[in-house]
């Protein structure tokens, strides 16, 4: 009996002894179709670390961190992870679409899973192109509804770090205010440049393939125009989606036109004329490097050109859809990366 009591007491001591929390986080996993031989983990200026990715895509490392959201780069593609000491997180992703493919599991992964679900939830909840078709009163009503739905989504995630939920709520109001201003700009633009009215035109823009092209040369087809510049990050980000569209609609009644508004920005030269020519060289170089297709044109006078000012373009990228007769269909058309872009084109019989 005495021996039994000693054993029970010993087991009780073992059971009650808790493992001390680790003063570091462990991050491991696998990258399919990796873009780089390493992952770059960062949080502003305060934390930076590179994790080596093996030939088979696997990786593992420990990180001493302050609890918070950290950026993860695989080459140029980025996603986020929530790290805190004592976490042991497995992160798997595909380099072909990092943000869409990333998944998390393991100890302390709940907040990272929340970040993934939050991104997808907000992407599904907010359809900017639908919002642009509302009037101002309808937009106000929709914004209130969106805010309520976002807060309800945040509140149901009880296992998520409370500071992350508080941060998400604090960011909601400014984000929706900015979104509303952007959408109102699109609504007002459609009032100023209504569908069915003659489109502003461009004449004899330099064509990358040689010679010049005018809008009138494309009459009889829908014309989807991308107004961009080589120095514009968001513009460059749309190129893969635009290239995909161009392949999908090859042979159909639509022309894809990219108009560069490069105007010497970033080039030091003795004169405006010289910097303008350097811009053209940079334009040609990027088209070749990125194997850009469609009709590639260089705007005369950049942001002061009649076409750009006619469409009231003060920021890029801007996408425009013009009808076969040369009339405006949409002065602020959906971007190529818009998830419903094919449905949008189908609505016009394209």
């Amino acid at each position: 009996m005495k021996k039994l009591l000693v054993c029970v007491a010993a087991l009780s001591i073992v059971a009650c002894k808790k493992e001390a929390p680790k003063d570091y986080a462990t991050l491991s996993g696998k990258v399919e179709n990796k873009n780089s031989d390493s992952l770059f983990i960062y949080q502003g200026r305060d934390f930076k670390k590179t994790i080596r990715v093996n030939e088979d895509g696997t990786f593992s490392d420990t990180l001493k961190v302050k609890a918070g959201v950290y950026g993860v780069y695989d080459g140029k593609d980025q996603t986020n992870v929530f790290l805190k000491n004592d976490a042991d997180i497995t992160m798997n992703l595909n380099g072909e679409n990092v943000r869409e493919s990333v998944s998390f599991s393991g100890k302390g992964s709940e907040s990272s899973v929340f970040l993934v679900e939050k991104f997808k939830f907000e992407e599904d909840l907010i359809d900017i192109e639908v919002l642009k078709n509302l009037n101002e009163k309808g937009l106000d009503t929709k914004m209130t509804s969106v805010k309520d739905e976002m807060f309800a989504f945040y509140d149901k995630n009880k296992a998520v770090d409370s500071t992350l939920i508080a941060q998400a709520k604090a960011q909601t109001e400014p984000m929706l205010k900015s979104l509303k201003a952007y959408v109102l700009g699109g609504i007002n633009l459609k009032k100023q440049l209504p569908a069915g009215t003659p489109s502003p035109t461009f004449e004899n823009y330099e064509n990358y393939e040689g010679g010049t092209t005018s809008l009138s040369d494309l009459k009889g087809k829908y014309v989807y125009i991308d107004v961009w510049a080589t120095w514009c990050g968001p513009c460059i980000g749309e190129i893969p989606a635009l290239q995909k569209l161009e392949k999908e609609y090859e042979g159909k009644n639509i022309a894809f036109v990219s108009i560069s508004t490069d105007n010497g920005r970033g080039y030091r030269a003795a004169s405006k004329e010289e910097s303008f020519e350097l811009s053209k060289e940079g334009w040609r170089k990027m088209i070749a490097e990125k194997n850009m297709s469609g009709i590639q044109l260089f705007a005369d006078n950049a942001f002061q050109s009649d076409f750009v000012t006619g469409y009231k373009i003060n920021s890029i990228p801007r996408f425009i859809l013009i009808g076969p007769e040369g009339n405006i269909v949409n002065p602020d058309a959906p971007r190529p990366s818009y998830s419903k872009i094919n449905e949008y084109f189908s609505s016009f019989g394209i």
Side-chain angles (χ1 to χ4, degrees), residues 60 67 72-73 76 119 139 162 176 187 197 239 249 251 260 275 284 286 327:
S60 182
V72 180
Y73 269 102
K76 292 184 178 180
F119 170 75
L139 182 61
S162 59
L176 292 181
I187 291 172
T197 57
I239 290 173
Y249 287 86
S260 167
S275 67
R284 295 187 189 101
M286 181 168 285
N327 295 327

Side-chain angles (χ1 to χ4, degrees), residues 263-265 267 269-279 304:
N263 59 355
R265 178 172 172 172
Y267 294 96
S271 64
K272 287 185 178 180
E273 291 75 16
E274 186 180 346
S275 67
F276 197 63
E277 286 305 314
L278 288 171
S279 287
Q304 283 71 51

